[in-house]
Amino acid sequence: MIPTSWFLILSAILFTIGVCGFLTRKNGITMFMCIELMVNAANLTFVAYARQFHQLHGIIFVFFVMAIAAAEAAVGLAIFISLFHHRETIDVDEANLMRW
Amino acid sequence: MIELAVFFFFAAVAVIFALVVILHRNPVVGALSLVASFFALAVMYVLLEAPFLAALQVIVYAGAIMVLFLFVIMLLNLQHVGEPVTRPIQQFLGYAGSAFFGLALIYYIVKYTVLQLPPGPFLSDARAVGVALFEAYIFPFEMVSILLLAAIVGALLLSGRGGQAVAR
């Protein structure tokens, strides 16, 4: 049996990669993919702890996170399509109408 | 022993393809790498005795969500658009900050999680998940269905012709 902490370390590495990409990239869709990466790292932690404590709640929570990630991806990509129609770019620095 | 080999191989696959996502300039390559990374995570779920979630990961994430990303990238014809270079200070702060964050996270995980796995098998197949979902979690399940409906309506309103007419 593989110890739980190894899965937690893998999850931490994936989450860190997601944070790094989100902070350093400017392409809106790539930033969105980094968010998906972070969500998946959190899911891995949920499943690892579900096995650790023999509880189904973690598994159920991953199910809900997947559904919410699907909704978030649909709305977010629609926002980027709308942004592209108006500004001809998906560079997030160009969307500065509400910036002070 | 074969379990360990599978774990390390697919952990390396997940991390390497995740690095490709954040380092490659072409978003199509990034999306396909993310699909590969999600497949490796599905293998992790199998190792964690959650085969139902592994199937969901492949069907929902790799099958549906990433295809949506690829559709949008192709629709907006982004694969030829060059990305402007990030400012060096942002680059440095991003890499340094996230490296510090990751090292701190790993340090505390190694320091504080010395958990013994309980004996006995853990049943989390489709039957057990379904029973829990439709008995204890029936209300959140219905809420998620309403949320998905709201997301569909919102996406249609934002991306369709109606959204432009409203905006003008």
Side-chain angles (χ1 to χ4, degrees):
Chain A
M1 298 292 279
I2 300 168
T4 303
S5 54
W6 293 11
F7 288 102
L8 296 184
I9 290 172
L10 173 65
S11 164
I13 293 171
L14 287 177
F15 193 91
T16 306
I17 292 172
V19 169
C20 181
F22 187 81
L23 291 178
T24 55
R25 296 299 297 266
K26 282 174 147 182
N27 187 330
I29 287 185
T30 305
M31 290 171 72
F32 225 71
M33 290 195 281
C34 291
I35 295 176
E36 296 291 327
L37 204 57
M38 287 191 273
V39 167
N40 268 278
N43 277 353
L44 184 60
T45 306
F46 271 122
V47 182
Y49 273 117
R51 185 190 67 158
Q52 173 69 44
F53 296 119
H54 279 200
Q55 294 275 333
L56 266 180
H57 305 297
I59 308 276
I60 305 281
F61 215 94
V62 171
F63 179 84
F64 287 127
V65 168
M66 278 183 184
I68 288 167
E72 171 224 343
V75 176
L77 290 172
I79 289 173
F80 280 123
I81 289 177
S82 184
L83 177 69
F84 192 79
H85 282 163
H86 286 283
R87 295 279 175 109
E88 295 288 316
T89 178
I90 56 157
D91 190 340
V92 288
D93 282 357
E94 299 287 326
N96 53 3
L97 187 66
M98 294 179 75
R99 188 192 266 176
W100 54 283
Chain B
M1 196 42 65
I2 192 155
E3 229 178 5
L4 280 184
V6 168
F7 174 80
F8 278 112
F9 178 73
F10 281 99
V13 166
V15 171
I16 288 170
F17 278 107
L19 283 174
V20 171
V21 173
I22 69 164
L23 294 179
H24 206 282
R25 313 300 287 180
N26 190 341
V28 176
V29 177
L32 290 175
S33 309
L34 200 56
V35 172
S37 187
F38 286 170
F39 268 106
L41 275 178
V43 175
M44 291 298 150
Y45 291 162
V46 173
L47 286 180
L48 283 168
E49 304 167 58
F52 177 61
L53 271 190
L56 270 189
Q57 172 87 6
V58 171
I59 294 169
V60 175
Y61 259 115
I65 297 182
M66 292 320 294
V67 168
L68 190 64
F69 273 88
L70 278 176
F71 265 142
V72 171
I73 294 169
M74 298 293 183
L75 184 70
L76 301 183
N77 209 9
L78 292 175
Q79 60 265 42
H80 308 301
V81 179
E83 187 180 339
V85 187
T86 316
R87 284 185 298 275
I89 179 70
Q90 183 186 358
Q91 200 104 8
F92 171 74
L93 283 179
Y95 284 124
S98 56
F100 176 75
F101 172 73
L103 286 179
L105 211 53
I106 290 171
Y107 172 74
Y108 280 107
I109 286 171
V110 170
K111 192 175 174 188
Y112 287 115
T113 52
V114 277
L115 301 166
Q116 286 296 318
L117 276 178
F122 172 46
L123 267 184
S124 66
D125 52 356
R127 180 186 156 79
V129 173
V131 167
L133 200 59
F134 285 100
E135 282 178 358
Y137 287 92
I138 184 70
F139 185 66
F141 183 79
E142 298 294 339
M143 285 296 108
V144 160
S145 71
I146 294 174
L147 177 83
L148 283 173
L149 181 67
I152 293 170
V153 175
L156 277 177
L157 191 70
L158 277 170
S159 64
R161 296 287 161 205
Q164 286 184 351
V166 168
R168 278 167 195 170

